[in-house]
Amino acid sequence: MIHLSSKKYKAVLIVLHFLFVLQCPLWGDSQNTQLIVTPGTDFIASSCDIVLQNTDIINNGTFDASKADVAFTGSSSDTISGNDSALIKVFTVNKTGGAFTRLNTDVHVNNRVDFIGGLIQLNGKTLLLTDSAFLN
């Protein structure tokens, strides 16, 4: 579990690459990891790629990846949940073995949604594409 509790976080490609891509597989594909943004906390990612392998996002603060690419990968289903919506520039779903990404909160996409493998389960929530965003 990754728990964010200080006031501001700036995401850097190298840090996130090593944190999620290298650390999560050590826990195995069948166990989900959680990225938790607590109330009053900002997770701001700018100009980077975030790869979340079998990782849930619980956003009770600010998850702003409106200038970043976020890919949900792996063989286990994961969720985006919390009290606040998530902002993502490029939302990529690249799941295997029938796994999916489930929305338990609204997600706003600024650029595009890429379907490589797997599905997005809306679960009664909104996947909002801005005026210039598209499905790919």
Side-chain angles (χ1 to χ4, degrees):
M1 176 186 314
I2 301 160
H3 196 79
L4 303 178
S5 59
S6 68
K7 290 292 178 190
K8 291 246 182 213
Y9 279 85
K10 297 280 183 184
V12 178
L13 172 63
I14 295 171
V15 172
L16 287 174
H17 178 76
F18 285 109
L19 184 64
F20 292 111
V21 175
L22 295 180
Q23 202 172 42
C24 292
L26 296 176
W27 297 346
D29 280 347
S30 62
Q31 182 178 3
N32 277 27
T33 305
Q34 294 179 330
L35 170 62
I36 300 172
V37 183
T38 58
T41 301
D42 296 333
F43 179 90
I44 301 170
S46 182
S47 301
C48 64
D49 297 325
I50 302 170
V51 179
L52 301 171
Q53 182 172 341
N54 300 325
T55 302
D56 298 327
I57 295 175
I58 302 172
N59 181 33
N60 291 319
T62 300
F63 184 90
D64 184 354
S66 60
K67 296 179 181 174
D69 298 356
V70 180
F72 292 87
T73 67
S75 58
S76 294
S77 296
D78 45 36
T79 62
I80 303 172
S81 62
N83 297 328
D84 294 311
S85 59
L87 308 172
I88 299 173
K89 177 183 171 191
V90 176
F91 184 149
T92 301
V93 179
N94 189 6
K95 307 299 270 177
T96 60
F100 55 85
T101 298
R102 174 181 293 172
L103 302 186
N104 286 339
T105 192
D106 296 340
V107 174
H108 300 254
V109 178
N110 287 343
N111 187 283
R112 71 180 186 272
V113 178
D114 290 334
F115 291 95
I116 297 171
L119 300 171
I120 298 173
Q121 188 179 72
L122 294 176
N123 197 34
K125 301 300 179 186
T126 301
L127 180 63
L128 178 67
L129 305 179
T130 61
D131 292 338
S132 61
F134 60 95
L135 300 174
N136 188 21

